[in-house]
Each structure stands twice: as structure tokens, then as C-alpha cells.
């Protein structure tokens, strides 16, 4: 049986860009504009505040882990932030991979492990849209083990380092997201928290080329057509057929970056009767013809 969460994380093709230890004392504020890169932070000692655009400020304390799959405008501050909201603190590198915020002389009030990841998938925005805006996990021992492995590997010089870091990052994402349980906002993970809707999502991931209808999915999930439609839409924020289209286009974008797959083959694998029917659907959904999309990826379509 397909695992939708693992599918999405694997297809993102994550790679670690930066992992560092940060300490803070006194008043400080660091603003970030990461243009969609993933950001994670584990508070090891003390506490701080996280300000994410569009959300209420969060107080993070020792044992907390926050993951933002696609970070844009956000800021981290001391518990008592600087009086001037626009004030920005410049981190001081005290040793390779270690930075200090705020007072350089006062006793340390906060210690955190911070990292950034980049997604190499050409359809990263579409994939990230299936994940929650951010995930906050508190006192999860399994995450602590992964973070320690990540920290050790990032600071070491071993053969295969990049591959190991990639695998740890993937595990970190999966563990953080599934540790949240039922999320407050609609999305993939909220859908997966419901056994019947999770079954429908898995079926679509497992057999994207099948001529699915709401009725066919409902029969496989032991629900009425109306119940599946209402429940699926409420939990994921999209209708079953809209999710199926999104997943098919996600797969198509991945396949278009592979040299050995023809347009006819992609059409067949994503549930379309012909290459022309697939091309029309792809252009309507993505906004770029499938042939042009493949060429942009420096892949000549067959």
C-alpha cells in the first residue's frame, strides 16, 4: 500500500543547506526571508519567540521543535524582543557552525539547533502545498535522536555525508509531521488522520492511472458517495477529484524530468487516454505546455 506522506517527502528531493548551533542572551531579533526553503529549529536550552507572517507569535521552550516546510518571512526573537520592531540583530560567528545573538558577555539564555533545507524537485511548490504551513512538536524523544544524528553528521567529515544528511532530513520531516497527530487546518495530514479518507488517498497514490470516481472510491472505503465527498473535502480542503488531479500533475511533472519517459507513457501512467488529452490537462493545470515544461528541465520530450 502506498504511503502518501513518504511519497511527498521523497519527491521533494530535500538536501541540507545549513545546520548551526545558535546561542542568545539579552534582547535580539533575527529576520529571515528564505524564499521557500524549509526551516527547522530545535530549542535545546532556554526559550525564544518565533514570529511567522500571518500567524500569532509562538513561544518556543526547551524540547520544542518547529518545522516550516516552505519558509518566507519570519523572525526569531528573545522572549522580551527589542523595543523597536524593525531592529535586526547580526549573528556573530564564535566558531565554525556556532553563532551568538544579542549580548556577547551575558550568560547564555537560549541554545538552539537551526537548519535550512532546499528542495531540488522542480514541482516543489506543488508538493509543499500538500504539507501543513508549519509543525510544532513538543518533547518528542524520537526527534531528539534524529537531531543529534543530524548535528553529528553535519559537523563531521565522512564519506557519503551528503547522502546521509539527505536521509536524516527526510526522516526528520516525516517524524515531525506525523508526530503532530490531527492538525487544526485542512490538508493532507488531516486527511490521513481519518482511516476512511486515508484509504481513499492511498488508493489514489497507489493507482493514479485508474479511472477513479467519487463513487468508486466511496465503495472501496465503505462510505456513501455523499459522505466520502463531504468528509474528504472538510478534512483536506479539496474535493476527491481535485486531489486526484493534483497528484496526477505532481507525478507528471516528475516524469517529465526523466529522459526515458515518452508523452504517451506519461499520459498512460497518469490516467489519460492520449498524449494530447494529457497535454491539454497539464497546460490547464500548470500553465505551461507539457513539452515546454520538459524542455525547461533540459529534457527533450519523446
Amino acid at each position: 500500500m502506498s504511503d502518501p506522506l513518504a511519497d511527498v517527502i521523497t519527491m521533494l528531493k530535500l538536501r541540507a543547506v545549513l545546520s548551526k548551533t545558535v546561542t542568545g542572551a539579552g534582547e535580539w531579533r533575527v529576520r529571515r526571508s528564505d524564499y521557500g526553503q524549509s526551516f527547522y529549529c530545535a530549542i535545546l536550552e532556554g526559550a525564544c519567540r518565533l514570529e511567522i507572517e500571518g500567524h500569532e507569535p509562538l513561544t518556543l521552550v526547551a524540547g520544542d521543535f518547529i518545522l516550516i516546510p516552505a519558509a518566507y518571512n519570519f523572525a526569531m526573537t528573545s522572549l522580551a524582543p527589542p523595543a523597536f520592531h524593525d531592529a535586526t540583530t547580526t549573528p556573530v560567528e564564535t566558531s565554525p557552525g556556532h553563532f551568538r545573538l544579542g549580548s556577547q558577555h551575558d550568560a547564555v539564555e537560549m541554545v538552539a539547533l537551526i537548519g535550512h533545507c532546499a528542495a531540488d524537485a522542480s514541482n516543489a511548490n506543488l508538493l509543499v502545498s500538500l504539507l501543513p504551513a508549519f509543525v510544532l512538536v513538543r518533547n518528542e524523544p524520537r526527534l531528539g535522536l534524529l537531531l543529534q544524528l543530524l548535528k553529528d553528521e553535519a559537523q563531521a567529515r565522512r564519506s557519503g555525508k551528503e547522502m546521509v544528511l539527505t536521509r536524516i532530513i527526510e526522516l526528520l520531516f516525516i517524524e515531525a509531521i506525523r508526530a503532530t497527530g490531527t492538525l487544526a487546518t485542512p490538508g493532507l495530514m488531516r486527511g490521513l488522520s481519518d482511516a476512511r479518507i486515508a484509504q481513499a488517498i492511498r488508493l489514489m497514490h497507489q493507482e493514479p492511472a485508474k479511472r477513479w470516481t467519487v463513487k468508486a472510491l466511496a465503495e472501496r472505503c465503505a462510505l456513501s458517495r455523499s459522505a466520502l465527498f463531504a468528509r474528504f473535502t472538510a478534512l483536506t480542503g479539496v474535493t476527491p477529484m481535485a486531489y486526484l488531479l493534483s497528484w496526477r500533475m505532481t507525478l507528471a511533472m516528475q516524469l517529465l524530468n526523466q529522459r526515458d519517459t515518452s508523452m504517451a507513457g506519461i499520459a498512460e501512467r497518469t490516467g489519460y487516454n492520449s498524449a494530447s488529452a494529457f497535454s491539454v490537462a497539464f497546460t490547464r493545470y500548470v500553465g505551461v505546455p507539457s513539452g515546454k515544461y520538459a524542455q525547461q528541465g533540459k529534457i527533450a520530450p519523446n
Side-chain angles (χ1 to χ4, degrees):
M1 182 66 76
S2 178
D3 184 336
L5 176 58
D7 289 344
V8 172
I9 300 300
T10 301
M11 290 173 68
L12 275 170
K13 300 179 182 177
L14 295 166
R15 57 182 170 83
V17 175
L18 177 67
S19 180
K20 60 185 179 182
T21 303
V22 175
T23 60
E27 294 184 354
W28 52 271
R29 173 182 281 112
V30 177
R31 295 186 181 278
R32 299 286 311 189
S33 294
D34 287 331
Y35 305 104
Q37 282 192 345
S38 299
F39 168 84
Y40 61 86
C41 173
I43 306 301
L44 306 179
E45 298 177 21
C48 68
R49 276 173 34 118
L50 180 67
E51 301 169 353
I52 304 174
E53 189 173 27
H55 300 274
E56 291 295 318
L58 296 169
T59 297
L60 305 179
V61 300
D64 286 357
F65 175 83
I66 186 129
L67 168 67
I68 309 177
Y72 288 92
N73 296 316
F74 67 99
M76 291 185 67
T77 79
S78 50
L79 282 180
F84 295 101
H85 186 71
D86 293 334
T88 301
T89 304
T90 300
V92 176
E93 188 169 14
T94 56
S95 62
H98 300 274
F99 292 80
R100 180 68 178 244
L101 296 169
S103 171
Q104 301 298 304
H105 307 292
D106 293 342
V108 171
E109 298 171 342
M110 186 275 306
V111 181
L113 177 64
I114 290 175
H116 302 274
C117 309
D120 287 337
S122 59
N123 57 341
N125 289 340
L126 183 56
L127 288 163
V128 166
S129 71
L130 300 174
L131 301 176
F134 69 89
V135 173
L136 174 59
V137 183
R138 298 200 140 116
N139 296 313
E140 176 52 58
R142 289 167 62 90
L143 279 177
L145 293 174
L146 288 172
L147 286 165
Q148 187 59 52
L149 285 173
L150 181 68
K151 182 179 178 182
D152 291 346
E153 192 65 31
Q155 296 176 349
R157 294 183 178 180
R158 303 187 182 103
S159 59
K161 176 178 176 178
E162 293 306 315
M163 180 180 291
V164 172
L165 285 174
T166 296
R167 296 296 175 263
I168 296 174
I169 289 294
E170 289 178 349
L171 289 171
L172 192 60
F173 265 59
I174 292 173
E175 193 63 40
I177 293 172
R178 72 182 186 180
T180 60
T182 302
L183 298 168
T185 56
L188 174 63
M189 288 310 299
R190 192 171 177 190
L192 292 175
S193 70
D194 181 290
R196 302 287 178 86
I197 301 308
Q199 170 73 352
I201 294 172
R202 291 190 183 102
L203 286 169
M204 287 187 276
H205 276 243
Q206 186 174 342
E207 300 181 85
K210 189 178 177 69
R211 299 295 191 266
W212 289 114
T213 63
V214 176
K215 181 180 178 181
L217 286 168
E219 289 174 351
R220 294 284 295 272
C221 299
L223 289 171
S224 69
R225 181 186 180 282
S226 59
L228 174 74
F229 185 91
R231 207 145 125 187
F232 193 105
T233 305
L235 290 173
T236 68
V238 296
T239 66
M241 293 301 99
Y243 184 89
L244 177 61
L245 175 61
S246 174
W247 183 242
R248 284 173 169 171
M249 292 299 105
T250 298
L251 292 175
M253 293 169 81
Q254 182 187 46
L255 292 169
L256 284 166
N257 286 324
Q258 298 177 7
R259 296 179 183 273
D260 58 350
T261 307
S262 67
M263 288 294 178
I266 295 173
E268 182 179 359
R269 292 173 65 176
T270 53
Y272 292 90
N273 292 324
S274 65
S276 60
F278 161 72
S279 182
V280 169
F282 187 91
T283 303
R284 184 183 298 121
Y285 190 87
V286 179
V288 177
S290 54
K292 185 176 181 180
Y293 182 88
Q295 291 171 350
Q296 288 174 343
K298 298 181 180 179
I299 306 295
N302 296 319

